[in-house]
Amino acid sequence: MEASTASPAAGAIVAALARAGTGLMFGVPGGGPNLDVVGAAEAAGLRFVLAHGETAATIMAATSADLTGAPGAVVVTRGPGLASAVNGIAHAALDRLPVVVIADTVADTRTSHQRIDQGALGRSVAKAAVTVTGPPTAARAVATALAAPPGPVIANMDNSAADEQRPRRMEDGVEAQTLRAYEDMAARAGRAILAEAVRAARRPVVLLGAGAIPRTAAVRDALNGRGIPALHTYRARGVLPDSGAEAAGLVTGGTMEWPLLSAADLIVGLGVDEAEMIPARWDYAAQTILVSGPGAPPARGWFTGATELSMPLTEALDVLAAGPEPDWPTDAGRAVRADSARRLAAAAVAAPGLLAPQQVIATARSCAPPEIIATVDAGAHMLVAMPLWEVPGPRLLLTSSGLATMGYALPAAIAAALCMPHIPVLAFTGDGGLGMTLAEIETAVRLSLRVIVVVFNDSALSLIKIKQKPAGHGDDEAVRYRPVSFAAAAAAMGAAGVAATSERELAAALADALARPGPTVIDAHVDPAGYPAVMDLSRGQTGRRFVPGISQEFNVGRR
Ligand SMILES: Cc1ncc(C[n+]2csc(CCOP(=O)(O)OP(=O)(O)O)c2C)c(N)n1
Ligand SMILES: [Mg+2]
């Protein structure tokens, strides 16, 4: 049903989104046609959520797409509105999340007030920019965002032109047939290559990437109890539950995965997207085979020498399940993960009156119910939170994986709380990242959301500080802030705010926050002194170690 509105383009984009299942629209509207979109959304039963910043609004839209599968929607004004959304659009692009960014336009192509080349801007960071004038172009904008691999599309709203119809081409059906035949052929060839490699392997390791999330049940059926250790990318965490024997920890392109991968004789990636890996050498001796479903984003990236196979992940899982008994010690995956966790915990440092970041995560995990959704910002605290926060299922630990942008955790938590109203949400953020999005606390207050923000407050851009030291340049002025009370700032916006300087205070604050219907900001005073050791364990030489009972026996090292 087309919403009745003064603007046919506005009604059309809202109707196309509603048909695709979108229930929320985020944004910061400008005047004019933007307001038609907001009005049409209300008329069509989409809830409009006002944010403070366009990037935050776009991250909210991307997170709702991540959690619901329906396209996210965000409304921004022309010029400054779209420009301000760019970082959120980049996040959606690199995490392959379908978002329709509805932007006003300046019709005149001459340089004028608020006019930037929105088409060019869109093409540089989004999947596509579509000029929306009516139903066909609106439908195309939504379909393009959803088409595999999904991504953000800028819908430049233009009420001045008549909608152009794309005639249906005879060849469309023929092309689809040819494509299917090609996919079948690729899948058959892939199955044979994978089966041979799996038959010959004694110590296979599986890498689970974002593409495995929709196949969680099949992954669990095939791999639970099989004794094949599985590493997860950030986005795939929880595909195999962390409580299981196979969950072996993270694969990021860092060194924490080194012990296991250097002892493997076959590495099989399932649904790993190249945007998920940090740039690093991939020089393990074992053969690497990367399986991606048809239409999935490329996996190759930094996997030098890997074989890429395009076939349904379920078929690859059948092949793995039918393989020989692996020759790993019992519970090898669990042992590797426990070893990493122990080393991270041992690197905890806390001066009196301060918390070690590891203590914050451990305390929060023991206070929070298993099904809580946690979001994590970019920064040194992330290097502690991502490996140590255990989850029983997918989409319960969210981070900006591809872009690794700061200012993600709070907007993502707000969207998660809106999409999953019965589940509490925890946002882990640094003081730097929270500073970028602070005003969104008001959004959480206004919407009465049970969002618990835990800020790792060290008055510094600590991740940059630890990179600055070895490089031997820069002083504190480049990375230090004055102390800020985020508890007081939260209170000023109507949220509960509390400081925590010990595990006991933190546990009490978390218990109160979980019992409160609205948002709470817990200002955790953390000691950043342990971060260099954490960095070394995750990305440095210390990560390259042998795990007792595993790598010393089997280690074949690197090429
Ligand atoms: C938008 C954005 N700007 C800059 C960076 C680079 N960067 C990554 S982490 C970081 C420091 C984060 O500081 P804070 O939020 O306080 O977290 P901490 O490292 O102190 O835990 C910076 C500047 C980024 N990832 N995203
Ligand atoms: Mg900080």
Side-chain angles (χ1 to χ4, degrees):
M1 183 195 63
E2 233 55 7
S4 79
T5 164
S7 151
I13 195 71
V14 166
L17 285 163
R19 270 198 303 275
T22 304
L24 294 167
M25 181 178 278
F26 301 88
V28 183
N34 258 187
L35 295 175
D36 291 339
V37 175
V38 174
E42 275 168 8
L46 271 75
R47 181 177 182 190
F48 182 76
V49 176
L50 174 65
H52 286 266
E54 286 84 353
T55 273
T58 309
I59 288 171
M60 292 176 197
T63 305
S64 69
D66 202 1
L67 293 175
T68 66
V74 60
V75 173
V76 300
T77 193
R78 61 206 190 176
L82 183 61
S84 173
V86 165
N87 199 42
I89 298 170
H91 158 72
L94 287 184
D95 277 4
R96 322 287 186 189
L97 296 168
V99 173
V100 177
V101 183
I102 304 166
D104 278 352
T105 51
V106 179
D108 204 308
T109 55
R110 288 169 298 181
T111 301
S112 70
H113 185 64
Q114 292 199 322
R115 187 187 176 279
I116 56 174
D117 188 342
Q118 296 189 186
L121 186 147
R123 281 187 294 280
S124 71
V125 67
K127 192 174 163 186
V130 175
T131 300
V132 171
T133 52
T137 41
R140 171 135 48 96
V142 174
T144 305
L146 285 169
V153 168
I154 296 177
N156 283 315
M157 304 300 283
D158 183 354
N159 291 315
S160 64
D163 205 28
E164 107 282 12
Q165 304 280 338
R166 176 176 175 264
R168 207 186 121 67
R169 289 186 300 149
M170 285 279 289
E171 312 87 272
D172 281 2
V174 179
E175 276 170 16
Q177 265 178 18
T178 316
L179 186 66
R180 255 196 310 279
Y182 177 75
E183 283 173 2
D184 288 349
M185 228 164 62
R188 263 199 307 279
R191 207 183 158 97
I193 293 169
L194 184 65
E196 196 186 317
V198 167
R199 239 191 326 271
R202 290 293 161 268
R203 292 182 311 283
V205 170
V206 168
L207 312 179
L208 294 168
I213 300 172
R215 301 280 169 268
T216 294
V219 172
R220 290 181 173 195
D221 279 353
L223 298 184
N224 265 341
R226 276 289 281 120
I228 302 174
L231 295 164
H232 291 69
T233 62
Y234 280 169
R235 272 176 68 63
R237 278 291 298 286
V239 169
L240 287 179
D242 282 324
S243 58
E246 279 77 18
L250 287 167
V251 57
T252 63
T255 49
M256 208 173 259
E257 61 254 30
W258 189 87
L260 193 62
L261 293 181
S262 56
D265 62 3
L266 175 66
I267 301 168
V268 180
L270 298 176
V272 178
D273 173 345
E274 61 187 5
E276 296 187 272
M277 302 293 288
I278 52 174
R281 275 190 321 157
W282 187 266
D283 51 4
Y284 296 102
Q287 181 189 8
T288 300
I289 296 181
L290 303 168
V291 180
S292 309
R300 188 181 300 274
W302 290 84
F303 295 99
T304 315
T307 305
E308 276 188 280
L309 303 179
S310 174
M311 62 195 279
L313 297 196
T314 45
E315 290 193 18
L317 286 162
D318 288 346
V319 172
L320 279 164
E325 274 299 297
D327 192 10
W328 289 107
T330 317
D331 290 355
R334 198 202 305 268
V336 172
R337 196 163 55 84
D339 182 68
S340 300
R342 246 191 323 271
R343 283 164 188 264
L344 279 173
V349 176
L354 296 176
L355 282 153
Q358 292 89 332
Q359 290 177 308
V360 175
I361 296 298
T363 305
R365 188 61 282 190
S366 64
C367 294
E371 75 282 3
I372 199 166
I373 295 177
T375 66
V376 180
D377 220 72
H381 61 284
M382 181 200 78
L383 297 177
V384 173
M386 290 307 293
L388 292 181
W389 188 260
E390 299 199 345
V391 285
R395 297 197 177 97
L396 295 176
L397 178 59
L398 308 176
T399 193
S400 169
S401 159
L403 190 66
T405 183
M406 292 166 72
Y408 166 84
L410 175 55
I414 288 171
L418 282 165
C419 293
M420 306 284 162
H422 304 299
I423 302 178
V425 183
L426 250 175
F428 292 120
T429 175
D431 52 300
L434 185 56
M436 289 180 174
T437 51
L438 193 62
E440 303 302 343
I441 290 172
E442 186 281 329
T443 307
V445 172
R446 179 168 24 95
L447 302 173
S448 294
L449 300 176
R450 192 162 42 148
V451 165
I452 306 165
V453 178
V454 176
V455 49
F456 291 68
N457 193 352
D458 50 18
S459 306
L461 302 173
S462 285
L463 185 67
I464 310 308
K465 192 170 162 62
I466 56 180
K467 289 180 178 175
Q468 186 186 36
K469 281 281 150 60
H473 50 68
D475 54 26
D476 262 14
E477 263 177 50
V479 291
R480 267 222 157 273
Y481 293 117
R482 267 179 47 77
V484 168
S485 166
F486 287 98
M493 283 182 271
V498 55
T501 60
S502 68
E503 285 170 295
R504 193 206 296 226
E505 284 176 4
L506 178 59
L510 281 160
D512 288 349
L514 284 163
R516 189 177 284 131
T520 304
V521 174
I522 301 176
D523 190 341
H525 296 211
V526 301
D527 190 337
Y531 282 141
V534 169
M535 182 68 160
D536 196 27
L537 281 169
S538 330
R539 311 253 166 108
Q541 287 305 317
T542 312
R544 299 189 180 199
R545 62 189 190 275
F546 300 122
V547 173
I550 298 179
S551 303
Q552 275 152 341
E553 279 173 65
F554 294 121
N555 181 55
V556 282
R558 296 188 150 204
R559 276 187 272 128

